[in-house]
Amino acid sequence: DGGITQSPKYLFRKEGQNVTLSCEQNLNHDAMYWYRQDPGQGLRLIYYSQIVNDFQKGDIAEGYSVSREKKESFPLTVTSAQKNPTAFYLCATQGEYINQPQHFGDGTRLSIL
Amino acid sequence: GQQLNQSPQSMFIQEGEDVSMNCTSSSIFNTWLWYKQDPGEGPVLLIALYKAGELTSNGRLTAQFGITRKDSFLNISASIPSDVGIYFCAGQQGAQKLVFGQGTRLTINP
């Protein structure tokens, strides 16, 4: 969706390496989300943040970390503790009003070298 | 985490046919959303539903919010090649997290 930029589009990780996925938005949305998508499966929530300097674990947070130092940015770090990181990662944002739908970026595909 | 039961998981149809897919939940939602995802891209919102019984159209797409608030369906009429992709339903209750279905993969034979 317009206004949500994920980078890079493709990312490769070596064993034991941490990598960081970027998500930037210019929609002035308070809430931001990170999802993981595996082939043939739906989206699973990793972390989310509803306000700057605050974030919450989702359903599959182990092996991941996030920060929310600015409203526009919500980077996701895939740490070496995540043993199966190969997946498609999606960032989403949501406006302030209850029931406003989430809108998604175009995703980052992470693979293991 | 909780997931919705979305069916069918995949569909193979001829161009021009109508398509129907649905989602059911054991929980009540006050918002139902339908998204479409093309390969290698993020999901794009198709239709948002906010009231039980609501029927909403977006071009050839029609979606309904079930009267029990535990289900929703999406219909696509007169399918065309660009309808190919994965369709996801998602439900939300208040300010709680979105819950997603596992997707319906639509393939169209020309």
PDB file of all heavy atoms in Angstrom, chain B residues 2-26:
ATOM      1  N   GLN B   2      -5.101 -17.674  17.856  1.00  0.00           N
ATOM      2  CA  GLN B   2      -6.367 -18.014  17.231  1.00  0.00           C
ATOM      3  C   GLN B   2      -6.302 -17.794  15.726  1.00  0.00           C
ATOM      4  O   GLN B   2      -5.680 -16.834  15.261  1.00  0.00           O
ATOM      5  CB  GLN B   2      -7.469 -17.135  17.819  1.00  0.00           C
ATOM      6  CG  GLN B   2      -8.852 -17.407  17.270  1.00  0.00           C
ATOM      7  CD  GLN B   2      -9.881 -16.427  17.795  1.00  0.00           C
ATOM      8  OE1 GLN B   2      -9.534 -15.471  18.469  1.00  0.00           O
ATOM      9  NE2 GLN B   2     -11.137 -16.642  17.490  1.00  0.00           N
ATOM     10  N   GLN B   3      -6.931 -18.670  14.957  1.00  0.00           N
ATOM     11  CA  GLN B   3      -7.055 -18.468  13.531  1.00  0.00           C
ATOM     12  C   GLN B   3      -8.490 -18.728  13.116  1.00  0.00           C
ATOM     13  O   GLN B   3      -9.221 -19.452  13.769  1.00  0.00           O
ATOM     14  CB  GLN B   3      -6.106 -19.381  12.759  1.00  0.00           C
ATOM     15  CG  GLN B   3      -4.667 -18.882  12.747  1.00  0.00           C
ATOM     16  CD  GLN B   3      -3.879 -19.405  11.565  1.00  0.00           C
ATOM     17  OE1 GLN B   3      -3.950 -20.568  11.255  1.00  0.00           O
ATOM     18  NE2 GLN B   3      -3.119 -18.540  10.915  1.00  0.00           N
ATOM     19  N   LEU B   4      -8.858 -18.129  12.018  1.00  0.00           N
ATOM     20  CA  LEU B   4     -10.177 -18.353  11.466  1.00  0.00           C
ATOM     21  C   LEU B   4     -10.151 -19.570  10.559  1.00  0.00           C
ATOM     22  O   LEU B   4      -9.118 -19.926  10.009  1.00  0.00           O
ATOM     23  CB  LEU B   4     -10.606 -17.123  10.669  1.00  0.00           C
ATOM     24  CG  LEU B   4     -10.663 -15.810  11.432  1.00  0.00           C
ATOM     25  CD1 LEU B   4     -11.022 -14.677  10.497  1.00  0.00           C
ATOM     26  CD2 LEU B   4     -11.650 -15.902  12.570  1.00  0.00           C
ATOM     27  N   ASN B   5     -11.317 -20.180  10.392  1.00  0.00           N
ATOM     28  CA  ASN B   5     -11.448 -21.315   9.490  1.00  0.00           C
ATOM     29  C   ASN B   5     -11.922 -20.798   8.145  1.00  0.00           C
ATOM     30  O   ASN B   5     -13.095 -20.437   7.989  1.00  0.00           O
ATOM     31  CB  ASN B   5     -12.439 -22.328  10.060  1.00  0.00           C
ATOM     32  CG  ASN B   5     -12.564 -23.552   9.186  1.00  0.00           C
ATOM     33  OD1 ASN B   5     -11.683 -23.843   8.384  1.00  0.00           O
ATOM     34  ND2 ASN B   5     -13.654 -24.272   9.340  1.00  0.00           N
ATOM     35  N   GLN B   6     -11.001 -20.740   7.174  1.00  0.00           N
ATOM     36  CA  GLN B   6     -11.323 -20.213   5.864  1.00  0.00           C
ATOM     37  C   GLN B   6     -11.402 -21.352   4.868  1.00  0.00           C
ATOM     38  O   GLN B   6     -10.531 -22.222   4.837  1.00  0.00           O
ATOM     39  CB  GLN B   6     -10.261 -19.201   5.418  1.00  0.00           C
ATOM     40  CG  GLN B   6     -10.577 -18.527   4.098  1.00  0.00           C
ATOM     41  CD  GLN B   6      -9.615 -17.384   3.769  1.00  0.00           C
ATOM     42  OE1 GLN B   6      -8.800 -16.977   4.609  1.00  0.00           O
ATOM     43  NE2 GLN B   6      -9.680 -16.888   2.553  1.00  0.00           N
ATOM     44  N   SER B   7     -12.443 -21.334   4.023  1.00  0.00           N
ATOM     45  CA  SER B   7     -12.595 -22.390   3.029  1.00  0.00           C
ATOM     46  C   SER B   7     -13.186 -21.830   1.743  1.00  0.00           C
ATOM     47  O   SER B   7     -13.926 -20.839   1.766  1.00  0.00           O
ATOM     48  CB  SER B   7     -13.480 -23.515   3.577  1.00  0.00           C
ATOM     49  OG  SER B   7     -14.788 -23.033   3.806  1.00  0.00           O
ATOM     50  N   PRO B   8     -12.874 -22.488   0.618  1.00  0.00           N
ATOM     51  CA  PRO B   8     -11.947 -23.595   0.510  1.00  0.00           C
ATOM     52  C   PRO B   8     -10.497 -23.119   0.584  1.00  0.00           C
ATOM     53  O   PRO B   8     -10.243 -21.930   0.507  1.00  0.00           O
ATOM     54  CB  PRO B   8     -12.255 -24.166  -0.880  1.00  0.00           C
ATOM     55  CG  PRO B   8     -12.685 -22.976  -1.664  1.00  0.00           C
ATOM     56  CD  PRO B   8     -13.435 -22.101  -0.703  1.00  0.00           C
ATOM     57  N   GLN B   9      -9.559 -24.049   0.720  1.00  0.00           N
ATOM     58  CA  GLN B   9      -8.148 -23.672   0.748  1.00  0.00           C
ATOM     59  C   GLN B   9      -7.658 -23.292  -0.634  1.00  0.00           C
ATOM     60  O   GLN B   9      -6.759 -22.463  -0.768  1.00  0.00           O
ATOM     61  CB  GLN B   9      -7.311 -24.816   1.298  1.00  0.00           C
ATOM     62  CG  GLN B   9      -7.528 -25.073   2.774  1.00  0.00           C
ATOM     63  CD  GLN B   9      -6.554 -26.103   3.315  1.00  0.00           C
ATOM     64  OE1 GLN B   9      -5.763 -26.681   2.572  1.00  0.00           O
ATOM     65  NE2 GLN B   9      -6.614 -26.344   4.614  1.00  0.00           N
ATOM     66  N   SER B  10      -8.223 -23.918  -1.657  1.00  0.00           N
ATOM     67  CA  SER B  10      -7.846 -23.586  -3.029  1.00  0.00           C
ATOM     68  C   SER B  10      -9.030 -23.815  -3.953  1.00  0.00           C
ATOM     69  O   SER B  10      -9.933 -24.602  -3.644  1.00  0.00           O
ATOM     70  CB  SER B  10      -6.643 -24.414  -3.475  1.00  0.00           C
ATOM     71  OG  SER B  10      -6.940 -25.789  -3.418  1.00  0.00           O
ATOM     72  N   MET B  11      -9.010 -23.086  -5.061  1.00  0.00           N
ATOM     73  CA  MET B  11     -10.075 -23.180  -6.051  1.00  0.00           C
ATOM     74  C   MET B  11      -9.459 -23.120  -7.446  1.00  0.00           C
ATOM     75  O   MET B  11      -8.569 -22.287  -7.692  1.00  0.00           O
ATOM     76  CB  MET B  11     -11.080 -22.049  -5.917  1.00  0.00           C
ATOM     77  CG  MET B  11     -11.751 -21.942  -4.574  1.00  0.00           C
ATOM     78  SD  MET B  11     -12.969 -20.626  -4.553  1.00  0.00           S
ATOM     79  CE  MET B  11     -14.248 -21.351  -5.573  1.00  0.00           C
ATOM     80  N   PHE B  12      -9.940 -23.978  -8.325  1.00  0.00           N
ATOM     81  CA  PHE B  12      -9.521 -23.970  -9.717  1.00  0.00           C
ATOM     82  C   PHE B  12     -10.776 -23.780 -10.563  1.00  0.00           C
ATOM     83  O   PHE B  12     -11.643 -24.651 -10.563  1.00  0.00           O
ATOM     84  CB  PHE B  12      -8.824 -25.286 -10.077  1.00  0.00           C
ATOM     85  CG  PHE B  12      -7.580 -25.534  -9.268  1.00  0.00           C
ATOM     86  CD1 PHE B  12      -7.652 -26.131  -8.015  1.00  0.00           C
ATOM     87  CD2 PHE B  12      -6.335 -25.178  -9.754  1.00  0.00           C
ATOM     88  CE1 PHE B  12      -6.510 -26.361  -7.256  1.00  0.00           C
ATOM     89  CE2 PHE B  12      -5.183 -25.406  -9.022  1.00  0.00           C
ATOM     90  CZ  PHE B  12      -5.277 -25.998  -7.761  1.00  0.00           C
ATOM     91  N   ILE B  13     -10.867 -22.663 -11.245  1.00  0.00           N
ATOM     92  CA  ILE B  13     -12.095 -22.359 -11.972  1.00  0.00           C
ATOM     93  C   ILE B  13     -11.762 -21.904 -13.387  1.00  0.00           C
ATOM     94  O   ILE B  13     -10.605 -21.624 -13.710  1.00  0.00           O
ATOM     95  CB  ILE B  13     -12.906 -21.261 -11.258  1.00  0.00           C
ATOM     96  CG1 ILE B  13     -12.098 -19.947 -11.236  1.00  0.00           C
ATOM     97  CG2 ILE B  13     -13.294 -21.692  -9.849  1.00  0.00           C
ATOM     98  CD1 ILE B  13     -12.910 -18.764 -10.800  1.00  0.00           C
ATOM     99  N   GLN B  14     -12.822 -21.833 -14.200  1.00  0.00           N
ATOM    100  CA  GLN B  14     -12.694 -21.307 -15.558  1.00  0.00           C
ATOM    101  C   GLN B  14     -12.969 -19.807 -15.536  1.00  0.00           C
ATOM    102  O   GLN B  14     -13.785 -19.323 -14.737  1.00  0.00           O
ATOM    103  CB  GLN B  14     -13.694 -22.000 -16.480  1.00  0.00           C
ATOM    104  CG  GLN B  14     -13.493 -23.495 -16.622  1.00  0.00           C
ATOM    105  CD  GLN B  14     -12.198 -23.836 -17.348  1.00  0.00           C
ATOM    106  OE1 GLN B  14     -11.768 -23.127 -18.243  1.00  0.00           O
ATOM    107  NE2 GLN B  14     -11.580 -24.934 -16.944  1.00  0.00           N
ATOM    108  N   GLU B  15     -12.300 -19.098 -16.404  1.00  0.00           N
ATOM    109  CA  GLU B  15     -12.565 -17.677 -16.533  1.00  0.00           C
ATOM    110  C   GLU B  15     -14.053 -17.456 -16.805  1.00  0.00           C
ATOM    111  O   GLU B  15     -14.667 -18.193 -17.576  1.00  0.00           O
ATOM    112  CB  GLU B  15     -11.726 -17.100 -17.685  1.00  0.00           C
ATOM    113  CG  GLU B  15     -11.872 -15.604 -17.863  1.00  0.00           C
ATOM    114  CD  GLU B  15     -10.984 -15.077 -18.975  1.00  0.00           C
ATOM    115  OE1 GLU B  15     -10.134 -15.845 -19.475  1.00  0.00           O
ATOM    116  OE2 GLU B  15     -11.129 -13.893 -19.338  1.00  0.00           O
ATOM    117  N   GLY B  16     -14.618 -16.465 -16.135  1.00  0.00           N
ATOM    118  CA  GLY B  16     -16.029 -16.159 -16.313  1.00  0.00           C
ATOM    119  C   GLY B  16     -16.922 -16.758 -15.234  1.00  0.00           C
ATOM    120  O   GLY B  16     -18.079 -16.321 -15.081  1.00  0.00           O
ATOM    121  N   GLU B  17     -16.398 -17.740 -14.501  1.00  0.00           N
ATOM    122  CA  GLU B  17     -17.197 -18.355 -13.442  1.00  0.00           C
ATOM    123  C   GLU B  17     -17.267 -17.442 -12.219  1.00  0.00           C
ATOM    124  O   GLU B  17     -16.412 -16.571 -12.011  1.00  0.00           O
ATOM    125  CB  GLU B  17     -16.591 -19.692 -13.020  1.00  0.00           C
ATOM    126  CG  GLU B  17     -16.769 -20.807 -14.027  1.00  0.00           C
ATOM    127  CD  GLU B  17     -16.245 -22.129 -13.492  1.00  0.00           C
ATOM    128  OE1 GLU B  17     -16.014 -22.245 -12.278  1.00  0.00           O
ATOM    129  OE2 GLU B  17     -16.060 -23.058 -14.300  1.00  0.00           O
ATOM    130  N   ASP B  18     -18.291 -17.671 -11.404  1.00  0.00           N
ATOM    131  CA  ASP B  18     -18.399 -16.971 -10.127  1.00  0.00           C
ATOM    132  C   ASP B  18     -17.653 -17.766  -9.051  1.00  0.00           C
ATOM    133  O   ASP B  18     -17.496 -18.984  -9.136  1.00  0.00           O
ATOM    134  CB  ASP B  18     -19.866 -16.823  -9.715  1.00  0.00           C
ATOM    135  CG  ASP B  18     -20.641 -15.950 -10.687  1.00  0.00           C
ATOM    136  OD1 ASP B  18     -20.015 -15.203 -11.479  1.00  0.00           O
ATOM    137  OD2 ASP B  18     -21.888 -16.014 -10.649  1.00  0.00           O
ATOM    138  N   VAL B  19     -17.184 -17.057  -8.032  1.00  0.00           N
ATOM    139  CA  VAL B  19     -16.389 -17.648  -6.960  1.00  0.00           C
ATOM    140  C   VAL B  19     -17.025 -17.305  -5.618  1.00  0.00           C
ATOM    141  O   VAL B  19     -17.529 -16.188  -5.444  1.00  0.00           O
ATOM    142  CB  VAL B  19     -14.954 -17.085  -6.985  1.00  0.00           C
ATOM    143  CG1 VAL B  19     -14.157 -17.527  -5.768  1.00  0.00           C
ATOM    144  CG2 VAL B  19     -14.247 -17.489  -8.263  1.00  0.00           C
ATOM    145  N   SER B  20     -16.998 -18.253  -4.701  1.00  0.00           N
ATOM    146  CA  SER B  20     -17.483 -17.986  -3.354  1.00  0.00           C
ATOM    147  C   SER B  20     -16.556 -18.614  -2.333  1.00  0.00           C
ATOM    148  O   SER B  20     -16.162 -19.769  -2.477  1.00  0.00           O
ATOM    149  CB  SER B  20     -18.892 -18.547  -3.176  1.00  0.00           C
ATOM    150  OG  SER B  20     -19.400 -18.210  -1.901  1.00  0.00           O
ATOM    151  N   MET B  21     -16.194 -17.864  -1.314  1.00  0.00           N
ATOM    152  CA  MET B  21     -15.358 -18.364  -0.229  1.00  0.00           C
ATOM    153  C   MET B  21     -15.880 -17.807   1.083  1.00  0.00           C
ATOM    154  O   MET B  21     -16.575 -16.785   1.090  1.00  0.00           O
ATOM    155  CB  MET B  21     -13.894 -17.984  -0.450  1.00  0.00           C
ATOM    156  CG  MET B  21     -13.632 -16.509  -0.524  1.00  0.00           C
ATOM    157  SD  MET B  21     -11.963 -16.107  -1.101  1.00  0.00           S
ATOM    158  CE  MET B  21     -12.131 -16.356  -2.868  1.00  0.00           C
ATOM    159  N   ASN B  22     -15.567 -18.494   2.195  1.00  0.00           N
ATOM    160  CA  ASN B  22     -16.108 -18.014   3.459  1.00  0.00           C
ATOM    161  C   ASN B  22     -15.152 -18.256   4.617  1.00  0.00           C
ATOM    162  O   ASN B  22     -14.210 -19.047   4.513  1.00  0.00           O
ATOM    163  CB  ASN B  22     -17.458 -18.665   3.738  1.00  0.00           C
ATOM    164  CG  ASN B  22     -17.325 -20.134   4.044  1.00  0.00           C
ATOM    165  OD1 ASN B  22     -17.057 -20.537   5.169  1.00  0.00           O
ATOM    166  ND2 ASN B  22     -17.497 -20.955   3.031  1.00  0.00           N
ATOM    167  N   CYS B  23     -15.439 -17.570   5.698  1.00  0.00           N
ATOM    168  CA  CYS B  23     -14.667 -17.700   6.931  1.00  0.00           C
ATOM    169  C   CYS B  23     -15.614 -17.872   8.095  1.00  0.00           C
ATOM    170  O   CYS B  23     -16.646 -17.183   8.163  1.00  0.00           O
ATOM    171  CB  CYS B  23     -13.810 -16.462   7.175  1.00  0.00           C
ATOM    172  SG  CYS B  23     -12.245 -16.508   6.317  1.00  0.00           S
ATOM    173  N   THR B  24     -15.252 -18.739   9.018  1.00  0.00           N
ATOM    174  CA  THR B  24     -16.044 -18.930  10.218  1.00  0.00           C
ATOM    175  C   THR B  24     -15.143 -18.865  11.444  1.00  0.00           C
ATOM    176  O   THR B  24     -13.942 -19.157  11.372  1.00  0.00           O
ATOM    177  CB  THR B  24     -16.790 -20.266  10.214  1.00  0.00           C
ATOM    178  OG1 THR B  24     -15.833 -21.329  10.108  1.00  0.00           O
ATOM    179  CG2 THR B  24     -17.760 -20.348   9.058  1.00  0.00           C
ATOM    180  N   SER B  25     -15.747 -18.496  12.560  1.00  0.00           N
ATOM    181  CA  SER B  25     -14.999 -18.334  13.807  1.00  0.00           C
ATOM    182  C   SER B  25     -15.845 -18.805  14.972  1.00  0.00           C
ATOM    183  O   SER B  25     -17.070 -18.776  14.910  1.00  0.00           O
ATOM    184  CB  SER B  25     -14.638 -16.854  13.987  1.00  0.00           C
ATOM    185  OG  SER B  25     -14.122 -16.628  15.278  1.00  0.00           O
ATOM    186  N   SER B  26     -15.174 -19.221  16.026  1.00  0.00           N
ATOM    187  CA  SER B  26     -15.881 -19.545  17.255  1.00  0.00           C
ATOM    188  C   SER B  26     -16.101 -18.295  18.100  1.00  0.00           C
ATOM    189  O   SER B  26     -16.846 -18.327  19.084  1.00  0.00           O
ATOM    190  CB  SER B  26     -15.093 -20.584  18.062  1.00  0.00           C
ATOM    191  OG  SER B  26     -13.795 -20.103  18.333  1.00  0.00           O
TER     192      SER B  26
END
